[in-house]
Amino acid sequence: MPLKNLLYLLQLEEYDLKRFDDWLGRNPNRIVLEKKGQLNWTSKARLLFVLTNFLNIFTIGKRPDTALKTAVVILLPVDTLLKNLLVWRARRKLKKMTNLTVIGITGSYGKTTTKDALTHILTNKYQTLKTEGNYNTVLGIAKTITKNLRRDHELFIVEMAAYQRGDIKAIAELIKPKIGIITAIGQMHLERFKTPENILKTKIELIESLPEDGIGFLQRELEQQINNLKIKTKIVFFTSKEELFLKIAALFDISNNDALGRIKTMPPTPHRQEIIKTSAGITIIDDTYNSNPAGFLLALELLKNIPAQRRILVTPGIIELGAKQFELNKEAARAAAKIADYIVIVGETNKYALEEGLREELGPNFENKVFWVKDLDKAKPKLSELTTANSAVLLENDLPDHYF
């Protein structure tokens, strides 16, 4: 694979050399092309590119992957130092803002929509900053603090992501949240966490980090699971997103009526069950940001409840589920077969699992209702064939360029 493409793959794997190596082992002779995204030429990427080209001389140009991994190792001390410096600057800035209230949000899914909704509700009364985009790791949050946090900000709403035990704790040690919200616990990133118990323990790190006068908000279904944990802060349970928003609003002296009014005017979060109406009378549910088993079923329920003469699902399935990936994609397919009139499977990653589930549910109707396409671009002509006026189309998940 050419060096630029290797560097793009490494960036997609967040510079994780083990995952980079594993990918190369699973996909010999394949090339990651820049279709949906592009290589981000950060200072780190440029340094790695230059150093790798130099090191590649010693492999006679035949092992750019080895040269790239060596370059990562060589630059690691400098990279770590610069990251630590950025985090130190962010921590120093936060210490000076004694009147700032920090709200931390984590969960297997629903983090971004919760963050956007709370920001929309609270910003009408308070100077509020939220983390943007994928700036939900220690480094990304530190960048937000150093670049965007102002002296007049009163609230800082932070989305907190995790891929392993300790990630949430590390973020909490930086931002010192007063309020912590766990949106949901599910099997997202099960491949990385290995067990559902590890997912729960990692998310609970947020609640465990709260001060005694803080407040933690958890879904009611988690009540039994945290009974044996030593939590020093007050816990408030909620059963719906609206209930959560109203409880948070009340903490900041915003009435239910005002909060509900703000919720009604909240713009949709892009690619998270975003409903788009076309001029041709077709309803599109854009849920392409990511997917997980619970979120997949919720999106199907949304598709089911939209008035339509024809319902169509387009999906590559769900990823990062480890040993359960085949089983959980098969279950999702069986649920989809009960709701969608037509299903378009995208790509190779979960093709066989989805097909097996659909065959079991549809029987002889499988051939007429299920179609496979190589990528999302190839799905467009098929959708043109399948859609009619008053159709509803669910676009469930869209995989990065290193999935096929």
Side-chain angles (χ1 to χ4, degrees):
M1 194 188 309
L3 175 55
K4 184 183 176 187
N5 303 87
L6 282 168
L7 187 54
Y8 181 45
L9 168 62
L10 183 62
Q11 207 168 68
L12 287 171
E13 291 291 7
E14 298 174 326
Y15 297 98
D16 186 323
L17 287 181
K18 184 181 183 307
R19 291 183 64 84
F20 175 76
D21 251 350
D22 288 346
W23 189 99
L24 291 174
R26 290 193 310 270
N27 299 278
N29 304 317
R30 301 197 82 157
I31 297 176
V32 178
L33 299 175
E34 297 173 84
K35 292 181 178 179
K36 301 169 187 176
Q38 288 185 321
L39 175 62
N40 184 8
W41 286 104
T42 61
S43 298
K44 180 177 180 177
R46 292 177 188 278
L47 274 171
L48 283 172
F49 189 78
V50 172
L51 182 56
T52 302
N53 271 312
F54 171 73
L55 294 172
N56 207 24
I57 295 171
F58 299 97
T59 72
I60 322 175
K62 293 182 178 180
R63 292 302 305 270
D65 57 323
T66 300
L68 179 56
K69 288 185 286 185
T70 305
V72 171
V73 173
I74 290 172
L75 288 179
L76 183 60
V78 176
D79 187 45
T80 302
L81 177 64
L82 292 174
K83 287 178 179 176
N84 288 341
L85 181 61
L86 177 64
V87 172
W88 175 80
R89 287 176 56 207
R91 185 176 285 114
R92 189 163 173 248
K93 187 174 183 180
L94 280 173
K95 280 184 178 179
K96 295 178 181 178
M97 302 191 63
T98 54
N99 294 322
L100 182 72
T101 298
V102 180
I103 302 174
I105 303 172
T106 192
S108 298
Y109 52 91
K111 297 184 292 291
T112 304
T113 51
T114 299
K115 174 190 69 179
D116 289 349
L118 289 178
T119 301
H120 189 71
I121 293 168
L122 298 170
T123 199
N124 205 38
K125 186 173 180 180
Y126 300 92
Q127 290 291 323
T128 305
L129 175 68
K130 67 174 180 177
T131 50
E132 295 289 352
N134 289 326
Y135 277 32
N136 51 18
T137 62
V138 169
L139 193 61
I141 294 163
K143 287 179 181 177
T144 300
I145 293 167
T146 56
K147 291 182 179 180
N148 301 330
L149 189 63
R150 303 190 311 264
R151 290 179 180 275
D152 62 332
H153 277 127
E154 299 167 283
L155 300 176
F156 184 27
I157 302 178
V158 181
E159 181 177 334
M160 306 165 73
Y163 292 128
Q164 60 188 352
R165 295 281 298 275
D167 281 356
I168 297 300
K169 182 180 179 182
I171 296 172
E173 286 174 352
L174 169 63
I175 63 173
K176 300 287 191 288
K178 179 78 172 288
I179 297 169
I181 302 166
I182 297 179
T183 56
I185 299 294
Q187 300 187 84
M188 193 83 166
H189 303 306
L190 188 57
E191 175 184 298
R192 299 175 188 253
F193 284 104
K194 307 304 181 188
T195 67
E197 291 75 23
N198 281 338
I199 295 175
L200 175 64
K201 288 176 182 176
T202 303
K203 303 305 181 184
I204 289 294
E205 288 172 3
L206 171 57
I207 306 302
E208 292 173 333
S209 72
L210 297 175
E212 289 186 7
D213 60 344
I215 305 178
F217 290 87
L218 285 79
Q219 280 192 328
R220 176 66 66 181
E221 63 190 41
L222 294 176
E223 188 170 5
Q224 295 299 318
Q225 297 181 60
I226 67 162
N227 273 344
N228 297 326
L229 300 177
K230 294 180 180 179
I231 295 173
K232 59 188 175 184
T233 195
K234 177 183 177 183
I235 299 296
V236 176
F237 295 99
F238 62 91
T239 55
S240 69
K241 282 284 186 70
E242 184 175 291
E243 182 186 0
L244 169 65
F245 299 154
L246 293 178
K247 287 178 182 294
I248 297 286
L251 282 180
F252 293 95
D253 299 318
I254 297 174
S255 69
N256 283 358
N257 285 339
D258 287 347
L260 290 170
R262 293 293 289 173
I263 291 170
K264 289 176 183 176
T265 63
M266 187 183 80
T269 300
H271 311 303
R272 276 88 160 182
Q273 296 189 10
E274 181 183 8
I275 296 178
I276 303 164
K277 303 278 188 179
T278 73
S279 57
I282 298 168
T283 302
I284 298 172
I285 306 168
D286 180 355
D287 199 29
T288 55
Y289 181 75
N290 58 27
S291 188
N292 60 80
F296 198 116
L297 296 180
L298 288 172
L300 283 174
E301 195 65 23
L302 181 57
L303 177 66
K304 177 183 176 181
N305 291 331
I306 287 179
Q309 292 180 345
R310 181 174 289 185
R311 295 177 177 86
I312 303 164
L313 168 66
V314 181
T315 185
I318 315 165
I319 59 170
E320 291 200 8
L321 295 174
K324 289 191 172 183
Q325 183 151 319
F326 192 95
E327 172 195 343
L328 291 172
N329 273 284
K330 182 179 171 182
E331 288 178 10
R334 295 191 64 169
K338 298 173 183 176
I339 293 170
D341 299 298
Y342 297 98
I343 297 100
V344 180
I345 300 170
V346 181
E348 303 169 13
T349 302
N350 294 305
K351 179 176 185 286
Y352 298 112
L354 293 169
E355 284 184 343
E356 186 169 313
L358 291 167
R359 282 184 191 278
E360 288 182 6
E361 198 65 37
L362 294 173
N365 292 322
F366 174 87
E367 300 296 337
N368 297 323
K369 292 196 167 193
V370 180
F371 306 91
W372 179 83
V373 293
K374 185 177 181 180
D375 53 43
L376 203 54
D377 284 340
K378 298 291 192 301
K380 292 173 184 176
K382 178 55 66 177
L383 277 176
S384 297
E385 293 175 26
L386 296 175
T387 52
T388 60
N390 199 24
S391 290
V393 178
L394 169 59
L395 305 177
E396 180 60 23
N397 208 6
D398 184 21
L399 304 185
D401 283 326
H402 60 320
Y403 288 89
F404 299 104

